[in-house]
Amino acid sequence: MTAIDLPHPAPPGDASRSANPSRILTLVHHHGKLSRAQLTRLTGLNRSTVSVLVGQLAAAGLVYEAAASGESQVGRPSPDVHANPAVAALAVNTEIDAVTIGLVGLGGQVLKKIRYATERIPTASEAVNIAAAVIAGMRSELEARYKIVGLGVAVPGLVTTVDGMVRLAPHLGWEDEPLARMFTQATGYPATVANDASLAAEAEMVFGAATGLRNLIYLNGGASGIGGGIITEGRLLTGVSGYAGEFGHTFVAANGRRCHCGALGCLETEVSQAPLLEMAGLDGGEPGELAGALRTAPGMEAMAEVRRQLGHLGTALRNIVNIFNPEAIVLNGFLAALLAAAPGELQDNLRAESMRGPGAEVRLSPAVLGSDLMMVGAAELAFSGLLADPLGHAEGN
Amino acid sequence: MTAIDLPHPAPPGDASRSANPSRILTLVHHHGKLSRAQLTRLTGLNRSTVSVLVGQLAAAGLVYEAAASGESQVGRPSPDVHANPAVAALAVNTEIDAVTIGLVGLGGQVLKKIRYATERIPTASEAVNIAAAVIAGMRSELEARYKIVGLGVAVPGLVTTVDGMVRLAPHLGWEDEPLARMFTQATGYPATVANDASLAAEAEMVFGAATGLRNLIYLNGGASGIGGGIITEGRLLTGVSGYAGEFGHTFVAANGRRCHCGALGCLETEVSQAPLLEMAGLDGGEPGELAGALRTAPGMEAMAEVRRQLGHLGTALRNIVNIFNPEAIVLNGFLAALLAAAPGELQDNLRAESMRGPGAEVRLSPAVLGSDLMMVGAAELAFSGLLADPLGHAEGN
DNA sequence: GATTTTTGGTGTTTGACACAACATATCAGC
DNA sequence: GCTGATATGTTGTGTCAAACACCAAAAATC
């Protein structure tokens, strides 16, 4: 026989590269600011090591130091290390009725956000052109005042993140679009593409409702269906090709309604926004209003529909809890409204239906990042290269 | 004196400890033997570094070198590095009708296996006592010929692995048993406990049907239900408390049958072994026979039942594929028999029902490790400490 | 103003690893 | 059988990240 098959052809030469600058910058980015003393404790590194690393990051322009904030105590005060928001990422969110372009600084602050509404569902090229035009308009300012590390794109569909291909985005009608390449060519910035719900999950973990948690599920309910993101051990679960997290097609009902995906009884055919809006007497409108409108809607019909949908949602959540044993499930969009419309009901259902161990521990909470969510998530995608290797990256460009 | 300089003031959160000895030993352990040249390629390290590391591992008695195997080629031959099977782990598998104790050498070879059948379902203490007695019987041999690194225990239930508590094992009737502590006290070896299906998943990834894959789902069908293990990015997904993977309680049918877990329509109430055995005219018997017996069973009844169960199993698999986007799903126990009884059907169902991207890529395969599976898996648990830090660990004891 | 407490900065040491030069073992061709 | 090509093991040196020990600085307390 020939020699043993080599499962991995050959990993890139340098495997054990120093991860500590990355850890420092990531901590500062996620917390906004952090004193050197806090960094020392959080990383477990030596004070002097932290000193050196912060110095390097400051020299690279990624962080700056400022006097300690109010909070005074015995001992020499420790200056705060701030993420430098002039190091920024462009973020693009593509939806069925709009393309939103944003600028997000290191530290997670949304510096600019421009929503460009479209009259009809944009094609991939149209979305790219809109974003490129908006970015071109900002260009002189971007070049003068910011250091742009890249561009992150959120797409509601199946995305192969490594090569930036949108395999299928059913609600946009896109199929096999090389979106990352298109964005890179149109804007000149290195672009990365990922599923919108995955990015939202990361954003909520880093800056939102699940700050500090390492095992969570994010579920979003939008006009076009239900998507999800999975975070385990603090990392986004992508699956082999980056398609993981399609919770909208979990089986929850045996009534024979066929989903656009081809299967029967999918969560997103049973639990959807349209009937809720109708019951509540709204059309479109603000996402925040829905919960209140449902609670005060006249007659029993609205509540019955809420209950029906909560039942199916509960089934999906039961599966999730039994399979993932997460710390929290974060709900957004109309799913958050469902949660708010009947407080406690979902949590009670879940306790009753899921297995004792995991069911008792999970926390249900609404998303908190609101309209900045996708900007922060997409920017995080663009930041990821910088965060993984801050110094190499900083010199490289 | 006050304030003596503490060598390690803070718990040394030394994340960036050298991981390379671990990588080398893990590779050798998983492959059995590997030449130094192969190790150089696989790790991407320098030849000289590999030389030093292998030397250290050999000095610690974890590996040994032997002349290259047959295969000759141009150039100086590279000696094979073998995992030393004298470094071994004890493995215990607790089932409703037996306790199995095994000895597994580094490299994954099962050196001994003793199945102790019980007349009734053992309590936790009984299981511990049985295992401890068997181990006591081997003790002199173990001490003379092996270096035992620890003891791994597989339990069919919810296990908090960090503290070794069995929270709930419904089929064994165990609840809140501090099993790791009990085993450690009874045997003197450091014991670690985990869910059986999780361990099986790891074993199949490392030595079995999914060698080299990094994203897979393992599903086992046994007399007492359906359990699963999840591996993503080459790592076992445990959830916050280690309860993840309870696929048996996925919702698959709305016919109102209540599961022992309290919910309705669980996979394991719809898809179960007993009716299949009955249709096939077997009782208990060898796991291998079932598939053949089902195919040759007289009348249409057996096939109808197979079809019914395949339908429900397909629904669960559809969820899995949409949620995880795995490379492979490995089926064991009677689920493997179902797969074999109607070749292709499950795969076709899956293609039709799951979303286009992930559905096309997934591979369904039966488990291959057979009766050694749980021994290898449980031993892997005991080896994990050694593999994570081979040199520190080797000196420590 | 002295003491205590906590932190930052500097120089030295350690250890892991790469790199280069050299030694060695096999095959292929003559 | 000798010779060169090739792949590998071995040894010595250089580099870099990070720990460590010591000193200086800056509050808060006495």
Side-chain angles (χ1 to χ4, degrees):
Chain A
M1 277 303 282
T2 56
I4 297 168
D5 284 330
L6 306 179
H8 308 293
D14 149 26
S16 62
R17 115 173 281 111
S18 164
N20 284 336
S22 164
R23 291 175 61 202
I24 300 268
L25 184 59
T26 303
L27 282 168
V28 172
H29 169 49
H30 288 352
H31 288 83
K33 70 176 187 216
L34 229 35
S35 75
R36 286 194 181 197
Q38 286 175 303
L39 286 171
T40 305
R41 278 191 294 271
L42 288 170
T43 57
L45 296 173
N46 196 284
R47 275 209 304 275
S48 39
T49 306
V50 171
S51 179
V52 170
L53 295 178
V54 169
Q56 290 172 340
L57 292 174
L62 300 173
V63 302
Y64 63 91
E65 290 180 88
S69 56
E71 183 79 11
S72 85
Q73 52 179 349
V74 187
R76 177 173 172 174
S78 189
D80 280 332
V81 180
H82 295 254
N84 184 358
V87 175
L90 288 161
V92 174
N93 186 25
T94 57
E95 294 170 282
I96 54 174
D97 57 352
V99 176
T100 309
I101 298 95
L103 183 68
V104 182
L106 205 59
Q109 207 188 336
V110 177
L111 305 166
K112 280 184 199 303
K113 186 167 58 181
I114 295 146
R115 183 183 155 95
Y116 186 100
T118 56
E119 292 187 7
R120 49 188 181 75
I121 298 175
T123 66
S125 331
E126 284 166 2
V128 170
N129 289 339
I130 290 168
V134 171
I135 291 167
M138 305 193 290
R139 185 154 225 118
S140 61
E141 185 187 355
L142 292 182
E143 288 181 354
R145 305 237 306 258
Y146 298 99
K147 180 179 175 222
I148 304 299
V149 301
L151 185 151
V153 186
V155 177
L158 301 178
V159 180
T160 317
T161 296
V162 283
D163 62 358
M165 283 287 292
V166 175
R167 198 57 61 191
L168 180 69
H171 305 293
L172 292 169
W174 299 0
E175 206 167 308
D176 294 326
E177 301 282 353
L179 207 64
R181 208 176 59 214
M182 292 163 71
F183 266 104
T184 301
Q185 283 174 356
T187 66
Y189 295 114
T192 323
V193 185
N195 173 269
D196 57 348
S198 297
L199 295 178
E202 260 195 316
E204 287 288 344
M205 170 180 69
V206 174
F207 297 110
T211 309
L213 301 189
R214 299 178 56 77
N215 293 78
L216 69 106
I217 306 292
Y218 169 88
L219 282 179
N220 179 56
S224 54
I226 293 176
I230 304 163
I231 289 179
T232 60
E233 307 301 324
R235 292 163 45 92
L236 189 66
L237 195 158
T238 60
V240 219
S241 333
Y243 303 154
E246 288 295 333
F247 290 105
H249 305 277
T250 300
F251 177 80
V252 296
N255 58 11
R257 279 211 269 164
R258 190 163 292 277
C259 173
H260 63 86
C261 79
L264 296 170
C266 286
L267 176 64
E268 76 177 38
T269 56
E270 300 301 323
V271 177
S272 64
Q273 189 170 27
L276 294 175
L277 286 174
E278 192 183 324
M279 299 284 172
L282 299 170
D283 78 352
E286 291 301 302
E289 296 174 37
L290 183 57
L294 282 172
R295 252 190 311 222
T296 58
M300 300 300 290
E301 264 197 329
M303 213 52 213
E305 175 64 9
V306 167
R307 285 248 150 69
R308 191 188 68 79
Q309 295 208 7
L310 278 175
H312 291 312
L313 180 57
T315 300
L317 295 187
R318 178 239 283 196
N319 286 354
I320 288 175
V321 167
N322 287 334
I323 292 176
F324 286 102
N325 178 212
E327 284 166 278
I329 299 177
V330 177
L331 299 175
N332 201 5
F334 79 90
L335 297 181
L338 275 177
L339 178 65
E345 185 155 332
L346 207 49
Q347 183 92 50
D348 293 345
N349 275 0
L350 204 52
R351 286 248 163 72
E353 290 228 320
S354 57
M355 298 195 72
R356 222 195 51 190
E361 295 174 17
V362 70
R363 202 184 77 204
L364 290 178
S365 44
V368 301
L369 255 44
S371 66
D372 284 349
L373 179 63
M374 292 317 308
M375 293 294 101
V376 172
E380 204 61 18
L381 190 60
F383 282 131
S384 65
L386 176 68
L387 292 175
D389 184 10
L391 300 174
H393 200 277
E395 302 311 316
N397 267 11
Chain B
M1 272 291 288
T2 57
I4 298 170
D5 273 340
L6 304 176
H8 297 292
D14 72 66
S16 60
R17 130 171 264 109
S18 163
N20 285 337
S22 165
R23 292 175 62 200
I24 299 267
L25 185 59
T26 303
L27 282 168
V28 171
H29 169 48
H30 289 352
H31 287 83
K33 71 176 186 215
L34 231 34
S35 74
R36 277 157 91 130
Q38 286 175 306
L39 285 171
T40 305
R41 279 189 293 269
L42 287 170
T43 58
L45 296 172
N46 194 280
R47 279 209 304 276
S48 52
T49 306
V50 171
S51 179
V52 170
L53 295 178
V54 169
Q56 290 172 339
L57 292 173
L62 300 173
V63 303
Y64 63 91
E65 291 180 90
S69 56
E71 180 77 10
S72 82
Q73 51 180 348
V74 187
R76 177 170 173 175
S78 189
D80 279 332
V81 180
H82 295 255
N84 183 356
V87 175
L90 288 162
V92 174
N93 186 25
T94 57
E95 294 170 282
I96 54 173
D97 57 352
V99 176
T100 308
I101 298 96
L103 183 68
V104 182
L106 205 59
Q109 207 187 337
V110 178
L111 305 167
K112 278 184 200 304
K113 186 166 61 182
I114 295 147
R115 182 183 155 96
Y116 185 101
T118 56
E119 293 188 4
R120 52 192 178 72
I121 299 175
T123 65
S125 332
E126 285 167 1
V128 171
N129 289 339
I130 291 168
V134 171
I135 291 167
M138 304 192 290
R139 184 152 225 118
S140 61
E141 186 187 355
L142 292 182
E143 288 181 352
R145 307 236 305 257
Y146 298 100
K147 179 177 175 225
I148 305 299
V149 300
L151 186 151
V153 186
V155 177
L158 301 179
V159 180
T160 317
T161 296
V162 282
D163 63 357
M165 282 288 292
V166 176
R167 197 60 60 192
L168 180 69
H171 306 293
L172 291 169
W174 299 0
E175 206 167 308
D176 294 326
E177 302 281 355
L179 207 64
R181 208 176 60 214
M182 292 162 71
F183 266 104
T184 301
Q185 283 173 355
T187 65
Y189 294 114
T192 323
V193 185
N195 174 268
D196 58 348
S198 297
L199 295 178
E202 258 193 320
E204 287 288 343
M205 170 181 68
V206 173
F207 298 109
T211 307
L213 302 189
R214 300 178 55 75
N215 292 77
L216 69 108
I217 306 292
Y218 168 87
L219 282 179
N220 179 54
S224 53
I226 293 175
I230 304 163
I231 289 178
T232 60
E233 306 302 324
R235 291 163 45 91
L236 189 65
L237 193 159
T238 61
V240 219
S241 332
Y243 302 155
E246 287 295 333
F247 290 104
H249 303 278
T250 299
F251 176 80
V252 297
N255 57 12
R257 279 211 269 163
R258 190 163 291 277
C259 175
H260 63 86
C261 78
L264 296 171
C266 286
L267 176 65
E268 78 177 36
T269 57
E270 301 300 324
V271 177
S272 65
Q273 189 171 27
L276 294 175
L277 286 174
E278 192 183 323
M279 299 284 173
L282 300 170
D283 77 350
E286 291 302 301
E289 296 175 38
L290 183 56
L294 282 173
R295 252 189 312 219
T296 59
M300 300 301 289
E301 263 196 327
M303 213 51 214
E305 175 65 9
V306 167
R307 286 248 149 68
R308 191 189 66 81
Q309 295 208 8
L310 280 175
H312 290 311
L313 181 57
T315 300
L317 295 187
R318 177 240 283 196
N319 286 353
I320 288 174
V321 167
N322 287 334
I323 292 176
F324 286 100
N325 178 211
E327 284 167 277
I329 299 177
V330 177
L331 299 174
N332 201 4
F334 79 89
L335 297 181
L338 275 177
L339 177 65
E345 185 154 333
L346 208 49
Q347 183 93 49
D348 293 346
N349 275 359
L350 205 52
R351 287 247 164 70
E353 289 229 320
S354 56
M355 299 194 71
R356 221 195 52 190
E361 296 174 16
V362 70
R363 201 183 79 204
L364 289 178
S365 45
V368 301
L369 253 44
S371 66
D372 284 349
L373 177 64
M374 292 317 308
M375 295 294 100
V376 172
E380 204 61 16
L381 190 59
F383 282 131
S384 63
L386 176 68
L387 292 174
D389 184 11
L391 301 175
H393 201 277
E395 303 310 318
N397 268 10

